């Protein structure tokens, strides 16, 4: 049933009850890439009796009845879209042929799957609108230039790569607000404990990539077989580099993006609190945000209910070369390199199988160890936007603004791959004291790519997760384009072009309401205004268009 969120407009129009209609329906005339593609039966994500999604976390079925539902403490893996796909025309991978932003988004993602020039097998995306998960969708590539729509893929799990840094930074800020530590604590790289004298680096510097480490390509970070507590006392500088390392040291060198910064930060969180890193994320982020199926990679997922089903994306085959083995093909530390494939160093690119149970290098977790579904990441975005707007969330409005404000200028303007600045765990376009317009992070692991982009002032976000040999910059650009489409659709109702949707616009819009099936503007309504008022592009201006106007009305 359509929801009328903005009550300020209710007195302005007599609203008759709308008939109930399905919240999601594949149009009968929908045409996919190939008429010969095998059908993928849509899987309902609303759990009925006897249904149990293959990737259901134990936490999401807290009463252990086999059904994730409203009786459970975390039922949010059940996804109900707020958009009817039946409103979209047949898919053709040409977004300009579509009117509504939702339809354009689906076309843009399918186009990325087929025409990015890089290999993609699975892709899922979600849009957060007005601070709430608006819809999500997914596609699967089946070969020979063909793909199929796979609605159940929104609950598929992906390695999110460096987008994990955003999760770690929020967990650290939550611990600070709870009084457990301070971002201004000095951290000693000898044993990842607090150092109460000047000389090394603060937790804040680590989380903003100013922690005195250079890039970590070729090091053994991902090969270390022990936990975070043992990681930093490790004497091998190639495993656990120190700030004065001849190879990886960057003392006084300013910003340098490096996973080692986050590994040391994570080790400090564990040492300071005495709580395992997995529990810090579970209690500080995953549970509070409703990320019911998010967890850490490797054996942690393998030994869980969500790690046993075919829907776990970790088993996907990808067209990428060996990763660590390119650097250290014979080193015994990397014999089981946590990215192992069926190919060895020097082999040509082929289809490769990456194994879930070989990705459990704990020191890598704070920098890139999170696995999650696109629904999980959308709920993360919801929680962050709620924090920003003072509507709850995981941390305070002051806290989230601190993470999203510039800590360092990256020197890339005006051609930045992500944003001009880096904050604390996020790329950002915002200087301290300014409204936060755009923040985000991208991530990649062998065979995986992610994009996570938020526009806090607009209360919108887009997340894209893929099994893909594709750049995170390309995915982030796609996310920004989708956000642009939604903003353009919202501003179409700004009839007087003054930058807001207010009562002046309402006077014009209300004069164009003629009812369902009436394609001729009523007297006094300019034909151009009639076209702009028809937000769902069905040729009339009716209650569906009114509902959209009411949603974006800001007074």
């Amino acid at each position: 049933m359509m929801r009328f969120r903005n009550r300020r407009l209710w007195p302005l129009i007599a609203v008759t009850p709308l008939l109930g209609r399905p919240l999601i329906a594949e149009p009968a005339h929908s045409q996919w890439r190939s008429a010969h593609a095998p059908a993928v039966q849509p899987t309902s994500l609303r759990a009925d009796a006897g249904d149990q999604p293959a990737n259901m976390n134990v936490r999401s079925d807290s009463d252990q009845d086999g059904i994730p539902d409203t009786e459970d403490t975390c039922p949010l893996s059940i996804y109900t879209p707020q958009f009817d796909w039946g409103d979209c025309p047949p898919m053709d991978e040409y977004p300009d042929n579509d009117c509504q932003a939702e339809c354009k988004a689906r076309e843009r993602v399918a186009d990325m799957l087929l025409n990015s020039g890089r290999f993609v097998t699975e892709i899922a995306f979600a849009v957060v609108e007005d601070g709430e998960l608006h819809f999500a969708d997914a596609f699967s590539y089946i070969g020979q230039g063909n793909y199929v729509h796979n609605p159940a893929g929104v609950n598929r799990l992906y390695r999110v790569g460096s987008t994990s840094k955003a999760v770690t930074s929020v967990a650290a800020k939550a611990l600070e607000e709870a009084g457990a530590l301070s971002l201004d604590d000095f951290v000693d790289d000898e044993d990842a404990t607090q150092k109460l004298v000047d000389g090394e680096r603060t937790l804040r510097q680590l989380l903003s990539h100013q922690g005195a480490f250079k890039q970590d390509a070729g090091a053994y970070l991902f090969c270390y077989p022990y936990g975070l507590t043992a990681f930093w006392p490790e004497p091998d500088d190639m495993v656990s580099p120190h700030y004065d390392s001849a190879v990886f040291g960057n003392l006084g060198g300013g910003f340098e993006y490096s996973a080692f910064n986050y590994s040391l930060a994570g080790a400090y969180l564990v040492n300071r609190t005495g709580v395992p890193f997995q529990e810090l994320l579970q209690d500080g982020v995953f549970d509070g945000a409703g990320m019911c199926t998010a967890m850490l990679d490797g054996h942690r997922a393998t030994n869980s209910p969500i790690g046993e089903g075919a829907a776990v994306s970790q088993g996907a085959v990808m067209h990428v070369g060996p990763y660590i083995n390119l650097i250290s093909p014979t080193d015994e530390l990397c014999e089981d390199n946590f990215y192992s494939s069926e190919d060895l160093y020097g082999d040509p690119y082929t289809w490769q199988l990456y194994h879930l149970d070989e990705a459990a290098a704990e020191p890598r977790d704070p920098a890139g160890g999170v696995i999650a579904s696109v629904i999980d990441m959308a709920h993360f975005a919801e929680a962050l936007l709620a924090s920003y707007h003072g509507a709850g969330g995981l941390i305070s409005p002051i806290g989230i603004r601190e993470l999203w404000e510039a800590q360092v200028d990256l020197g890339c303007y005006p051609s930045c791959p992500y944003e001009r600045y880096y904050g604390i765990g996020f790329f950002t376009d915002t200087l301290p004291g300014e409204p936060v317009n755009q923040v985000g992070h991208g991530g990649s692991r062998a065979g995986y790519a992610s994009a996570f982009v938020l526009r806090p002032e607009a209360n919108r976000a887009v997340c894209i997760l893929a099994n893909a040999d594709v750049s995170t910059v390309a995915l982030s650009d796609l996310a920004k384009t989708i956000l642009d489409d939604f903003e353009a659709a919202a501003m179409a109702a700004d009839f007087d072009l003054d930058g807001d949707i207010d009562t002046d616009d309402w006077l014009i819009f209300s004069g164009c309401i003629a009812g369902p099936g009436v394609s001729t503007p009523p007297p006094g309504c300019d034909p151009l205004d009639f076209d702009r008022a028809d937000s769902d592009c069905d040729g009339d201006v009716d209650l569906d268009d009114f509902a959209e106007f009411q949603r974006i009305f800001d007074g």
Side-chain angles (χ1 to χ4, degrees):
M1 193 170 175
M2 192 161 301
R3 300 190 303 165
F4 291 84
R5 298 185 200 161
N6 194 324
R7 296 176 179 270
R8 287 175 290 176
L9 273 178
W10 281 18
L12 300 178
I13 188 169
V15 180
T16 56
L18 298 179
L19 295 176
R21 63 179 184 181
L23 286 171
I24 184 167
E26 199 60 59
H29 58 270
S30 181
Q31 298 173 356
W32 305 108
R33 180 69 174 182
S34 170
H36 305 290
V40 173
Q41 295 299 321
T43 300
S44 172
L45 298 178
R46 182 186 297 277
D48 298 317
D51 291 340
Q52 181 171 334
N55 64 339
M56 185 183 66
N57 192 324
V58 170
R59 287 177 178 264
S60 69
D61 183 24
S62 60
D63 58 8
Q64 298 293 298
D65 65 353
I67 307 170
D69 52 30
T70 55
E71 301 301 317
D72 299 308
T73 58
C74 191
L76 299 181
S77 59
I78 306 169
Y79 162 63
T80 302
Q82 300 178 27
F83 179 75
D84 185 352
W85 290 115
D87 291 342
C88 295
M91 289 190 67
D92 57 10
E93 295 108 52
Y94 291 100
D96 291 341
N97 291 342
D98 294 278
C99 168
Q100 293 167 280
E102 292 85 351
C103 306
K104 287 179 180 288
R106 194 163 68 164
E107 297 284 5
R108 293 192 190 282
V109 171
D111 181 68
M112 169 68 73
L113 180 110
L114 291 172
N115 301 313
S116 67
R118 308 300 292 271
F119 199 77
V120 183
T121 58
E122 302 281 350
I123 193 165
F125 72 106
V127 173
V128 174
E129 177 80 346
D130 291 336
E132 297 182 7
L133 173 55
H134 183 53
F135 72 91
D137 211 357
F139 300 96
S140 300
Y141 182 75
I142 58 173
Q144 304 300 315
N146 300 318
Y147 70 99
V148 291
H149 185 213
N150 182 15
V154 300
N155 280 79
R156 180 182 294 273
L157 294 179
Y158 293 83
R159 290 169 171 158
V160 305
S162 288
T163 302
S164 303
K165 294 178 176 68
V167 178
T168 298
S169 70
V170 172
K173 188 62 184 177
L175 287 170
E176 181 182 57
E177 293 189 345
L181 50 80
S182 169
L183 296 187
D184 294 319
D185 287 347
F186 282 91
V187 180
D188 183 3
D189 69 350
E190 294 295 329
D191 59 4
T193 59
Q194 188 174 35
K195 191 176 183 72
L196 297 176
V197 295
D198 292 353
E200 310 301 339
R201 63 185 64 74
T202 63
L203 182 58
R204 180 189 306 275
Q205 288 172 320
L206 289 167
L207 295 174
S208 59
H209 293 291
Q210 300 176 90
F213 294 125
K214 294 180 182 178
Q215 292 183 355
D216 45 77
Y220 300 150
L221 172 66
F222 299 149
C223 306
Y224 192 66
Y226 308 111
L228 278 167
T229 54
F231 186 60
W232 288 101
E234 168 64 48
D236 186 346
D237 197 54
M238 289 290 285
V239 172
S240 177
H242 302 85
Y243 71 89
D244 57 355
S245 163
V247 178
F248 299 104
N250 190 41
L251 189 63
F255 178 88
E256 189 74 44
Y257 189 91
S258 171
F260 285 125
N261 289 298
Y262 272 74
S263 293
L264 179 53
Y268 178 66
L269 300 183
V270 170
N271 275 276
R272 182 67 186 272
T273 64
V275 178
F277 189 72
Q278 182 174 5
E279 290 185 27
L280 290 177
L281 293 193
Q282 190 72 56
D283 296 339
V285 179
F286 296 159
D287 285 350
M291 300 169 70
C292 294
T293 58
M295 61 174 55
L296 291 175
D297 213 340
H299 63 82
R300 283 78 56 95
T302 303
N303 297 331
S304 72
I306 63 173
E308 296 170 357
V312 177
S313 196
Q314 317 305 336
V317 288
M318 292 308 308
H319 190 266
V320 291
Y323 185 61
I324 297 297
N325 280 347
L326 288 174
I327 306 299
S328 51
T330 60
D331 192 285
E332 62 181 16
L333 277 176
C334 290
E335 183 177 354
D336 182 4
N337 64 35
F338 303 104
Y339 285 106
S340 67
S341 70
E342 306 298 350
D343 292 349
L344 299 177
Y345 176 72
D347 287 353
Y349 282 178
T350 64
W351 288 87
Q352 297 173 13
L353 180 63
Y354 287 84
H355 299 293
L356 177 66
D357 60 353
E358 296 171 347
E362 186 175 314
R364 187 269 288 89
D365 286 340
V370 172
I371 64 172
S373 72
V374 76
I375 300 298
D376 291 323
M377 296 306 295
H379 289 319
F380 184 45
E382 287 178 324
L384 300 183
L385 293 171
S387 292
Y388 181 78
H389 291 282
L394 297 171
I395 55 180
S396 69
I398 294 175
I400 193 63
R401 286 173 183 269
E402 183 178 359
L403 299 186
W404 287 347
E405 291 175 346
Q407 297 289 312
V408 58
D409 191 322
L410 302 180
C412 56
Y413 185 80
S415 300
C416 299
Y418 297 105
E419 305 298 338
R420 179 173 180 174
Y421 310 104
Y422 198 87
I424 300 176
F426 294 85
F427 291 93
T428 179
D429 70 348
T430 303
L431 290 170
E434 296 179 350
V436 184
N437 293 311
Q438 185 163 277
V439 298
H441 216 294
S444 63
R445 294 273 304 280
Y448 297 87
S450 67
F452 185 63
V453 181
L454 304 94
R455 290 185 177 168
E457 279 294 300
N459 213 15
R460 293 187 179 94
V462 168
C463 176
I464 306 172
L465 302 178
N467 280 135
D469 183 17
V470 65
S471 80
T472 60
V473 175
L475 284 186
S476 293
D477 287 345
L478 173 60
K480 293 171 185 177
T481 299
I482 292 172
L483 287 166
D484 289 343
D485 287 339
F486 274 85
E487 292 188 7
M491 294 314 296
D494 179 21
F495 294 96
D496 56 7
L497 304 178
D498 65 350
D500 56 27
I501 315 297
D502 56 15
T503 52
D504 291 333
D505 301 300
W506 162 251
L507 292 175
I508 298 173
F509 175 84
S510 61
C512 292
I513 298 175
V518 180
S519 59
T520 302
C525 173
D526 187 285
L528 292 178
D529 291 336
F530 187 82
D531 289 340
R532 295 177 67 180
D534 180 19
S535 59
D536 58 5
C537 304
D538 64 352
D540 58 32
V541 180
D542 56 14
L543 283 177
D544 288 336
D545 303 299
F546 165 73
E548 176 61 17
F549 184 90
Q550 186 182 44
R551 185 183 66 80
I552 60 179
F553 180 81
D554 54 27

